[in-house]
């Protein structure tokens, strides 16, 4: 940044460093600056949307994700984040439509499958939600969230 103060990748990496320090306000500023400097760069938009979702700002997240979703139609992380944004917006049907674009093998991973199962459940597809639920491989990072959502879905794990 001392050589080129508007270099988007460096600004984005600075945002990542702030995230790791849990300095969310500075991370937000860094990601916004990175996006401003290179509006075609996908990574700052993705990181900014992730930060917005973390704080329940799903409308801002979805607006950051729209360009990514239209240009990265097979990026499972983008599809997952859009689905999660719609789930947070209480639009389970729209969330399901995004999660269903993700290949099945990814939906067995907890960071994809939990929200997909919840969206299915909220859209009235209880049997399918439980089927997905039972196939999820839970890691320690998501075990508490898995238990919390499981109380609603009624999975058997």
């Amino acid at each position: 940044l001392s050589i080129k103060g508007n270099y988007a990748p460096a600004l984005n990496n600075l945002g990542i460093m702030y995230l790791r320090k849990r300095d969310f306000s500075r991370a937000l500023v860094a990601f916004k600056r990175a996006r401003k400097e290179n509006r075609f760069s996908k990574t700052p938009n993705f990181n900014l949307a992730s930060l917005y979702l973390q704080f329940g700002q799903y409308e801002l997240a979805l607006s950051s994700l729209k360009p990514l979703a239209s240009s990265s139609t097979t990026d499972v992380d983008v599809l997952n984040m859009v689905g999660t944004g719609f789930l947070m917006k209480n639009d389970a049907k729209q969330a399901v439509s995004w999660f269903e674009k993700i290949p099945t093998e990814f939906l067995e991973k907890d960071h994809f499958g939990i929200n997909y199962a919840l969206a299915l459940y909220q859209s009235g597809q209880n049997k399918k939600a439980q089927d997905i639920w039972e196939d999820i491989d839970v890691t320690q990072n998501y075990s508490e969230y898995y238990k919390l959502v499981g109380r609603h879905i009624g999975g058997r794990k």
Side-chain angles (χ1 to χ4, degrees):
L1 289 174
S2 63
I3 296 170
K4 186 176 179 186
N6 62 348
Y7 186 56
L11 291 165
N12 182 71
N13 289 343
L14 187 61
I16 296 294
M17 288 172 35
Y18 285 133
L19 274 181
R20 289 187 179 154
K21 289 183 168 188
R22 304 188 59 75
D23 189 344
F24 302 113
S25 59
R26 285 192 172 130
L28 177 68
V29 170
F31 292 143
K32 282 183 174 180
R33 280 188 58 205
R35 181 175 69 178
K36 179 183 173 196
E37 295 304 327
N38 186 351
R39 62 186 181 102
F40 299 109
S41 181
K42 295 176 182 180
T43 306
N45 274 323
F46 183 85
N47 290 335
L48 189 57
S50 178
L51 185 59
Y52 284 144
L53 282 181
Q54 188 173 349
F55 287 94
Q57 300 295 315
Y58 50 83
E59 291 292 352
L60 290 170
L62 289 170
S63 68
S64 292
L65 289 167
K66 283 179 186 174
L68 294 176
S70 63
S71 67
S72 304
T73 57
T74 59
D75 185 323
V76 294
D77 292 314
V78 170
L79 297 172
N80 184 50
M81 201 177 305
V82 173
T84 299
F86 280 110
L87 183 62
M88 291 175 75
K89 190 178 175 178
N90 288 320
D91 188 344
K93 280 189 171 186
Q94 187 76 322
V96 167
S97 73
W98 284 91
F99 288 126
E100 286 180 339
K101 295 176 184 181
I102 299 171
T104 307
E105 64 268 17
F106 288 95
L107 297 173
E108 294 175 358
K109 297 179 181 185
D110 49 13
H111 59 283
F112 294 102
I114 295 172
N115 283 345
Y116 177 46
L118 181 58
L120 287 167
Y121 178 78
Q122 288 181 349
S123 67
Q125 300 179 57
N126 298 1
K127 173 72 172 111
K128 190 170 182 181
Q130 288 179 350
D131 289 345
I132 295 295
W133 191 255
E134 291 172 7
D135 290 337
I136 295 173
D137 297 322
V138 186
T139 62
Q140 188 167 351
N141 290 342
Y142 287 87
S143 63
E144 288 301 313
Y145 183 53
Y146 181 83
K147 290 174 192 173
L148 178 70
V149 173
R151 289 185 210 132
H152 299 285
I153 294 177
R156 291 181 224 128
K157 267 191 182 179

